[in-house]
């Protein structure tokens, strides 16, 4: 059996290694998700609109089911779930209806650190304002629930992650081979098209799975990274900033003889940021859902720090964020020790480019509210 550092993500099931960094350490997702928390709070008014559009079921009909798809392992998922349950309870009260019991499902890949998430959960005793919880391990690009069993789906910061890296992107000699790059920003047409087709296929799989699981009168609220440019080669300022430092760090390992150039070239981050028009086109062509609300939302900086002029603080926040998001993929590709070396090089690169990181690392999100057609 090959040693871990010789594993290549393209030869693996991405599902088995893709996860945000678990635990509660310095580089954990829980400690590096302030950006996600801040951006999620900024669209709560849109989330409330989506919740208000759900058909209320009677207490006699059983539990009202809410599912968070791509929950990860931080407290953000808990806070958002509590917000949704509380708002739904108020919605029932305003309608002079007795609130039912609530069931909350937290869903993510099997590699997710559910233990850390469960430690953050409040006790569930069925009292007012509480809810019963369960974890569901599996890809949301497939079925996760019985037919017509879920009232409301919520997913944030997840659907831009692809189910897999397109095979042709990893094949040397292919027109889509992404030589010298870790993302598709600025890549050649063949690479970009392969990623775009993968995103479209994944989104259709997602929509069709949810259309079978959603109860009549249910709704779905989605938030994912998007882009403003109509050109898929231009994935946005944030990915340009992210990939510039990241690619340089990988190049450092190659130049120092720690890894081969082929090893670098077979590492790709399975992220695709669609435009609003691309997202709309896929949803409308599939036909399973009606779009109630769809907009681009400028979320601001990905780096939430105390002193925006402190280069060291900026660079450390940037590297911790990168490691919390991609550390699992890196370690699976080159092993823990070389992964540590990569992020050390990334820190040096980030210090030198701190001002650019702070100015350009800006995120744009697609926010969508959907109901069954």
């Amino acid at each position: 059996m090959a040693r871990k550092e010789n594993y290549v993500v393209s030869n693996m099931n991405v599902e088995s290694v893709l996860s945000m960094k678990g635990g509660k350490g310095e580089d954990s997702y829980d400690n590096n998700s302030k950006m996600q928390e801040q951006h999620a709070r900024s669209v709560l008014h849109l989330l409330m609109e989506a919740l208000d559009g759900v058909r209320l079921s009677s207490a006699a009909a059983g539990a009202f089911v809410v599912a968070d798809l791509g929950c990860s392992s931080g407290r953000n998922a808990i806070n958002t779930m509590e917000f949704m349950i509380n708002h739904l309870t108020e919605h029932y009260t305003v309608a002079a209806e007795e609130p039912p019991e609530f069931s909350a499902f937290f869903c993510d890949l099997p590699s997710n650190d559910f233990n850390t998430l469960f430690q953050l959960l409040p006790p569930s005793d069925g009292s007012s304002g509480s809810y019963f919880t369960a974890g569901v391990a599996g890809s949301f690009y497939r079925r996760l629930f019985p037919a017509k069993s879920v009232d409301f789906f919520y997913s944030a910061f997840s659907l831009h992650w692809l189910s897999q890296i397109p095979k042709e992107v990893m094949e040397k000699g292919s027109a889509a081979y992404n030589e010298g790059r870790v993302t598709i920003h600025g890549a050649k047409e063949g690479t970009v098209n392969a990623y775009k087709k993968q995103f479209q296929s994944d989104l259709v799989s997602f929509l069709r799975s949810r259309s079978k699981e959603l109860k009549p009168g249910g709704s779905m609220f989605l938030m994912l990274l998007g882009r403003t440019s109509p050109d898929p080669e231009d994935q946005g300022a944030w990915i340009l900033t992210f990939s510039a430092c990241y690619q340089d760090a990988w190049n450092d390992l190659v130049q120092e003889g720690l890894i081969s150039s082929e090893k670098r070239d077979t590492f790709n981050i399975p992220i695709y940021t669609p435009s609003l028009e691309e997202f709309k086109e896929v949803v409308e062509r599939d036909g399973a859902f009606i779009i109630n609300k769809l907009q681009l939302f400028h979320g601001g900086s990905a780096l939430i720090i105390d002193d925006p002029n402190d280069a060291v603080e900026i660079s450390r926040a940037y590297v911790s964020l990168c490691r919390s998001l991609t550390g699992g993929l890196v370690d699976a590709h080159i092993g823990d020790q070389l992964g540590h070396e990569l992020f050390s090089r990334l820190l040096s690169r980030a210090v030198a480019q701190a001002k650019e990181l702070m100015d350009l690392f800006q995120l744009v999100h697609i926010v969508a509210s959907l109901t069954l057609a």
Side-chain angles (χ1 to χ4, degrees):
M1 180 180 292
R3 292 182 301 168
K4 184 175 182 181
E5 60 265 34
N6 289 328
Y7 283 6
V8 177
V9 170
S10 60
N11 294 332
M12 302 176 67
N13 181 357
V14 172
E15 219 176 278
S16 67
V17 296
L18 178 58
S19 67
M20 306 301 100
K21 190 171 180 62
K24 300 178 181 179
E26 181 180 352
D27 296 326
S28 68
Y29 182 81
D30 188 42
N31 280 327
N32 290 279
S33 53
K34 291 181 181 178
M35 170 269 293
Q36 291 90 333
E37 177 190 10
Q38 180 171 297
H39 293 185
R41 281 203 311 266
S42 65
V43 298
L44 286 180
H45 62 293
L46 299 176
L47 175 57
M48 286 190 289
E49 285 183 18
L51 290 167
D52 290 342
V54 178
R55 183 189 303 170
L56 300 182
S57 56
S58 67
F64 189 105
V65 178
V66 182
D68 182 341
L69 304 174
C71 62
S72 193
S73 57
R75 64 195 74 234
N76 290 348
I78 309 298
N79 294 338
T80 301
M81 184 61 73
E82 291 181 348
F83 175 86
M84 291 190 289
I85 299 298
N86 289 335
H87 185 78
L88 286 165
T89 301
E90 292 175 6
H91 195 31
Y92 272 94
T93 301
V94 170
E97 295 279 349
E98 179 186 355
E101 294 182 321
F102 290 98
S103 182
F105 288 96
F106 294 92
C107 316
D108 215 311
L109 295 173
S111 51
N112 185 58
D113 180 10
F114 283 100
N115 286 337
T116 294
L117 179 69
F118 293 157
Q119 290 170 9
L120 299 170
L121 288 170
S124 297
D125 57 9
S127 61
S128 176
S130 71
Y131 51 93
F132 297 95
T133 61
V136 177
S139 171
F140 54 46
Y141 293 122
R142 299 193 298 272
R143 289 285 302 278
L144 293 170
F145 300 95
K148 299 179 181 179
S149 64
V150 179
D151 293 277
F152 192 82
F153 281 114
Y154 172 85
S155 181
F157 314 108
S158 298
L159 271 171
H160 46 264
W161 289 98
L162 303 178
S163 67
Q164 63 183 30
I165 300 165
K167 184 178 179 182
E168 57 269 38
V169 170
M170 313 299 291
E171 293 178 341
K172 195 171 185 178
S174 165
Y177 188 57
N178 199 21
E179 185 173 4
R181 297 181 182 275
V182 297
T183 70
I184 65 165
H185 188 92
K188 53 192 174 185
E189 185 178 0
T191 307
V192 174
N193 286 339
Y195 265 78
K196 181 178 179 178
K197 288 178 182 177
Q198 185 66 55
F199 171 80
Q200 293 172 334
S201 174
D202 283 346
L203 183 55
V204 168
S205 296
F206 176 88
L207 294 171
R208 292 182 180 176
S209 295
R210 304 295 82 76
S211 69
K212 292 180 175 66
E213 298 164 347
L214 200 62
K215 294 179 184 178
S219 186
M220 182 160 61
F221 184 85
L222 309 175
M223 184 178 183
L224 65 152
L225 289 176
R227 68 174 199 272
T228 56
S229 171
D231 182 1
E233 180 185 322
D234 180 3
Q235 289 280 293
W238 82 271
I239 197 70
L240 169 63
T241 314
F242 172 78
S243 49
C245 281
Y246 214 49
Q247 263 170 213
D248 287 343
W250 280 94
N251 292 339
D252 288 341
L253 296 189
V254 174
Q255 291 168 6
E256 294 170 30
L258 296 176
I259 62 171
S260 66
S261 59
E262 185 176 16
K263 193 71 171 177
R264 174 201 60 200
D265 295 343
T266 50
F267 180 85
N268 284 262
I269 298 173
I271 283 181
Y272 181 84
T273 57
S275 67
L276 200 68
E277 291 72 23
E278 280 179 343
F279 183 89
K280 181 181 180 181
E281 180 184 353
V282 174
V283 175
E284 291 183 341
R285 185 172 65 243
D286 178 65
F289 283 89
I290 295 171
I291 298 174
N292 299 317
K293 178 87 73 172
L294 180 64
Q295 69 180 76
L296 273 181
F297 194 87
H298 293 264
S301 178
L303 300 176
I304 310 299
I305 59 174
D306 294 327
D307 186 355
N309 296 311
D310 187 332
V312 174
E313 185 180 2
I314 293 170
S315 58
R316 285 178 177 169
Y318 167 75
V319 173
S320 290
L321 176 62
C322 290
R323 194 160 200 169
S324 72
L325 297 175
T326 67
L329 291 172
V330 170
D331 290 348
H333 193 73
I334 58 177
D336 298 352
Q337 291 185 349
L338 285 176
H340 178 74
E341 295 293 336
L342 174 73
F343 288 108
S344 294
R345 306 304 186 279
L346 185 60
L347 181 60
S348 299
R349 293 283 183 177
V351 170
Q353 300 180 48
K355 186 180 187 305
E356 290 81 359
L357 289 174
M358 204 64 216
D359 292 343
L360 297 176
F361 212 28
Q362 307 288 315
L363 299 183
V364 176
H365 299 105
I366 290 175
V367 180
S369 175
L370 311 174
T371 50
L372 287 171

